[in-house]
């Protein structure tokens, strides 16, 4: 009979143990159990080494790269990687150790039990419901190992082989995947913090840019300049492929494009959109901005005639002046991947608010300048506007000539003395209407003097306009009163005069020659001196 000591390893007492002279012995551990524990210890150590050797777990590709190494920890004929996406679990990768052996078909796999184990987040060994006694059958077994950490489920590893999985396999792989799960959670949290940090930095940068843009917008009171600045400034905040600004024409019930940055810009600017049609019409009706990714699939999409149907995402924001919607800012991005993010949508809305303020500022300045350049009594532009417009016309290379008419009412002081200043004011207002109706740009030069600038005007135009003025003047005073007449002097640029002052002097000289003849409303000689 074999000595029991050959099958049982005894653990020697430590020095200083109490008891009867150190003769007390601890509980014996069978050698087989010791070998099992040592093997388990080695496998656990290897699992820890493998987990520690993982450099990065930032994405699916990093996990797929680990699959070939799992055979060192627990051999398997096939390994599948499952990941959660939008709360749904799906297999994203599969590694087959030996392609010649084949794998189980989907019908053979207990997919329901596997998915239940993955969803529950608990490791499990899944065995076939029926195990045949015939040794040649070799049914498949599965080891389900959830990847989870910190209360976050990422997915699972599912190992498949014909040999039974042991409790040791379960223990070793559970330790390994638990470490991987914690690493995945940590990496995801770091990525989330980094993403939040980048978003915060981008948000702060965007706010600084918005403030800078706002200063530039408010300092620009030129209508065309502001529109161009809006288009250029938005590009620095949110990338886009096309931009259109529409203004509401309530009287015509249409949207008129005033700026287009698009490869079809000329076509877009030549057309109007009926109010109430398309995505833009919906935004106008609701008065609320919309971000419509994949706008070409939206049933409200309104294709502009002459442009192709293309994948496009669209942001449409109403523009307001004084609380009223006066237009829209439409920003588009082409392609299936051209979606606008929520952050970009918010930026466009904020920018549109600044653009609305800038447009209101332009409108206010334009109204102010119009009042400053308009004669309050006659409604014609005043002397300051005349000086500015004449200089601009003479410097315009597109004009071949400029006709200037200077008009002075004859004996208007006598009319004022006879009928009073209120009657005189009524006459001046009517004269303003007559001058405004004869063509060209009319001005009240001062007192009872007026001027008309005609771009590309001719001597024939001067004669025709003089006749219209005569007819208009004759109808101003009541029947029986002294007829109202005026003297007119005309001069042509560049034939008669080559500068602004010379042109005004030439027209004035002809006016007084006309007045000296006392025949009224005679167009002076336009021939060069």
């Amino acid at each position: 009979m074999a000595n029991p000591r050959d099958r049982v390893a005894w653990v020697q007492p430590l020095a200083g143990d109490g008891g009867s002279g150190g003769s007390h012995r601890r509980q014996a551990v069978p050698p087989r159990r010791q070998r099992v524990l040592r093997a388990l210890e080695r496998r656990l150590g290897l699992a820890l080494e493998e987990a520690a050797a993982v450099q990065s777990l930032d994405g699916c590709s990093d996990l797929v790269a680990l699959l070939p190494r799992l055979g060192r920890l627990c051999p398997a004929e096939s390994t599948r990687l499952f990941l959660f996406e939008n709360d749904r679990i799906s297999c994203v990768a599969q590694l087959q150790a030996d392609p010649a052996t084949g794998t189980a078909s989907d019908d053979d796999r207990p997919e329901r039990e596997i998915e239940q184990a993955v969803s529950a987040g608990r490791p499990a060994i899944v065995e076939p419901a029926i195990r045949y006694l015939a040794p040649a059958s070799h049914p498949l077994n599965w080891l389900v190992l959830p990847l989870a950490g910190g209360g976050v489920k990422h997915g699972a590893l599912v190992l498949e082989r014909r040999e039974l999985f042991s409790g040791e396999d379960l223990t070793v792989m559970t330790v390994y995947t638990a470490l991987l799960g914690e690493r995945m959670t940590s990496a995801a949290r770091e990525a989330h913090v980094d993403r939040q940090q980048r978003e915060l930095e981008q948000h702060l940068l965007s706010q600084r840019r918005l403030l800078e843009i706002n200063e530039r917008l408010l300092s620009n009171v030129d209508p065309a300049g502001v529109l161009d600045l809006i288009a250029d400034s938005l590009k620095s905040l949110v990338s886009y492929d096309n931009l259109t600004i529409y203004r509401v024409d309530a009287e015509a019930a249409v949207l008129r494009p005033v700026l287009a940055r698009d490869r079809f810009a000329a076509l877009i600017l030549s057309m109007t959109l009926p109010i109430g049609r398309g995505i833009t019409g919906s935004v106008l009706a609701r008065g609320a901005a919309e971000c419509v990714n994949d706008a070409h699939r939206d049933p409200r999409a309104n294709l502009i005639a002459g442009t192709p149907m293309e994948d496009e995402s669209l942001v449409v924001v109403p523009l307001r002046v004084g609380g009223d919607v006066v237009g829209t800012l439409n920003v588009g991005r082409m392609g299936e991947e051209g979606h606008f993010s929520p952050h970009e949508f918010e930026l466009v809305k904020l920018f549109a608010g600044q653009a609305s303020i800038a447009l209101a500022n332009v409108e206010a300045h334009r109204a102010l300048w119009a009042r400053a350049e308009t004669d309050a009594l006659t409604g014609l532009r005043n002397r300051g506007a005349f000086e500015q417009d004449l200089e601009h016309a003479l410097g315009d290379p597109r004009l071949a000539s400029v006709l200037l008419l200077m008009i002075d009412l004859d004996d208007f002081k006598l009319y004022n003395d006879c009928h009073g200043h209120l009657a005189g004011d009524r006459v001046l207002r009517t004269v303003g209407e007559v001058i405004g109706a004869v063509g060209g740009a009319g001005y009240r030069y001062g007192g009872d003097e007026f001027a008309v600038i005609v771009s590309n005007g001719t001597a024939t135009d001067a004669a025709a306009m003089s006749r219209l003025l005569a007819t208009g003047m004759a109808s101003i005073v009541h029947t029986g009163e002294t007829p109202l007449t005026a003297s007119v002097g005309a001069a042509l640029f560049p034939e008669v005069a080559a500068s602004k002052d010379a042109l005004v002097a030439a027209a004035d000289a002809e006016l007084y020659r006309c007045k000296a003849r006392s025949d009224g409303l005679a167009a002076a000689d336009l021939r060069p001196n």
Side-chain angles (χ1 to χ4, degrees):
M1 181 175 177
N3 190 331
R5 294 179 63 89
D6 294 337
R7 295 176 313 191
V8 179
W10 298 92
V11 179
Q12 299 297 325
L14 297 174
D17 272 358
S20 54
S23 61
H24 177 72
R25 298 172 185 266
R26 293 184 180 178
Q27 184 177 2
V29 180
R32 182 183 178 190
R33 181 62 175 165
Q34 284 191 8
R35 287 195 297 272
V36 170
L37 291 174
R38 290 194 193 98
L40 178 60
E41 184 179 0
R42 285 194 300 271
R43 292 182 67 185
L44 287 172
L46 183 59
L48 294 174
E49 291 176 7
E50 287 290 324
V54 176
Q55 297 296 321
S56 172
L57 285 177
D58 293 332
C60 177
S61 58
D62 293 328
L63 287 168
V64 173
L66 297 177
L67 298 185
R69 301 182 60 88
L70 297 183
R72 299 185 61 198
L73 302 178
C74 183
E77 297 171 19
S78 174
T79 303
R80 290 189 294 167
L81 172 63
F82 288 79
L83 290 178
F84 279 104
E85 184 174 0
N86 298 326
D87 297 327
R88 293 180 63 86
I89 188 77
S90 60
C91 181
V92 297
Q94 181 172 355
L95 176 68
Q96 193 172 338
D98 183 4
T101 61
T103 60
S105 67
D106 291 339
D107 293 337
D108 295 334
R109 290 194 183 101
E111 296 290 356
R112 181 183 176 190
E113 289 79 1
I114 291 174
E115 289 187 9
Q116 286 177 344
V118 172
S119 299
R122 291 193 298 269
I125 296 175
V126 180
E127 298 180 353
I130 301 176
R131 182 174 294 277
Y132 297 96
L133 298 178
S137 299
H138 299 299
L140 288 167
N141 303 270
W142 296 271
L143 179 59
V144 182
L145 303 159
L147 294 168
V152 180
K153 297 177 183 178
H154 302 286
L157 291 171
V158 178
L159 281 59
E160 177 183 293
R161 73 184 186 194
R162 299 182 187 280
E163 180 185 350
L164 284 172
F165 288 102
S166 67
E168 293 177 8
D169 293 328
L170 181 63
T171 300
V172 171
M173 294 307 295
T174 298
V175 170
Y176 176 74
T177 52
L179 292 172
L180 286 188
E182 291 293 342
R183 290 284 299 276
M184 292 174 70
T185 299
S186 178
R189 287 174 177 168
E190 289 177 5
H192 180 68
V193 170
D194 289 343
R195 186 166 57 252
Q196 284 186 323
Q197 181 68 24
R198 288 194 301 271
E199 289 176 355
L200 179 60
E201 292 173 356
Q202 182 63 38
H203 181 71
L204 292 174
L205 179 60
S206 299
Q207 292 297 323
R208 284 197 293 269
R209 285 178 178 170
L210 269 175
L211 289 174
E212 295 169 0
I213 290 169
N214 188 42
E215 291 177 2
R216 293 200 300 272
L217 286 174
L218 292 180
S219 64
N220 192 326
V221 294
D222 173 53
V226 163
L227 293 175
D228 285 329
L229 185 57
I230 286 172
D232 295 336
S233 300
L234 181 57
K235 192 84 170 181
S236 67
L237 290 173
V238 177
S239 65
Y240 62 80
D241 295 315
N242 55 70
L243 176 147
T244 306
I245 296 177
Y246 288 97
R247 295 297 298 266
V248 173
D249 184 343
E251 185 175 344
V254 297
L255 287 169
R256 298 191 183 278
V258 294
L259 177 74
R261 294 285 180 89
D262 194 287
R263 68 184 191 276
F264 300 105
L267 182 61
I268 292 171
L269 290 171
S270 68
M271 304 180 69
T272 59
L273 297 179
I275 290 178
R277 182 178 298 178
I279 296 172
T280 302
S282 176
V283 168
L284 278 176
R286 295 174 54 246
E290 284 195 47
C291 176
V292 187
N293 288 323
D294 298 320
H296 55 286
R297 297 190 182 122
D298 193 292
R300 300 169 298 169
N302 181 39
L303 184 65
I304 295 177
T307 62
M309 175 63 77
E310 298 176 291
D311 295 343
E312 182 181 15
S313 293
L314 188 64
V315 170
V316 183
V317 185
L319 298 173
R320 300 177 184 275
V321 173
D324 298 323
V325 177
V326 298
T328 64
L329 171 65
N330 295 25
V331 183
R333 195 181 280 165
M334 310 306 295
E336 292 183 358
E337 304 301 322
H339 290 182
F340 290 94
S341 69
H343 175 64
E344 289 175 321
F345 181 38
E346 289 300 319
L347 273 179
V348 175
K349 288 195 291 184
L350 286 172
F351 180 83
Q354 302 296 338
S356 296
I357 295 172
L359 290 173
N361 187 48
V362 168
E363 296 287 349
H365 275 79
R366 184 155 53 183
L368 182 63
W369 277 109
R371 287 196 297 271
E373 295 179 344
T374 301
D375 176 62
L377 180 62
T378 64
L380 298 174
R381 289 165 68 77
N382 60 22
R383 171 73 177 270
F386 167 80
E387 299 285 350
Q388 176 181 300
D389 292 352
L390 182 58
E391 187 166 355
H392 182 268
L394 299 185
D396 190 341
R398 297 170 297 178
L399 301 182
S401 65
V402 176
L403 171 64
L404 174 62
L405 301 181
M406 298 297 291
I407 306 162
D408 183 71
L409 300 183
D410 297 325
D411 299 321
F412 186 66
K413 182 178 184 304
L414 181 60
Y415 185 89
N416 264 342
D417 291 343
C418 292
H419 301 284
H421 286 87
L422 289 178
D425 287 348
R426 284 194 295 271
V427 168
L428 290 175
R429 275 194 293 270
T430 309
V431 169
E433 294 171 3
V434 170
I435 290 175
V438 299
Y443 303 86
R444 186 180 183 187
Y445 194 73
D448 57 358
E449 294 179 307
F450 299 85
V452 178
I453 299 174
V454 184
S455 299
N456 290 319
T458 64
T460 302
D461 294 328
M465 294 175 74
S466 293
R467 287 193 294 271
L468 290 173
L469 285 170
T471 303
M473 295 287 185
S475 65
I476 292 176
V477 296
H478 297 295
T479 304
E481 294 182 359
T482 303
L484 181 66
T485 62
S487 299
V488 180
L492 270 174
F493 169 89
E495 287 87 343
V496 172
S499 68
K500 182 185 76 170
D501 291 342
L503 185 65
V504 172
D508 247 351
E510 296 298 335
L511 182 150
Y512 284 104
R513 274 198 288 271
C514 174
K515 191 179 286 289
R517 292 197 297 268
S518 301
D519 52 3
L521 284 167
D525 190 354
L526 295 174
R527 291 172 299 177
N529 293 328

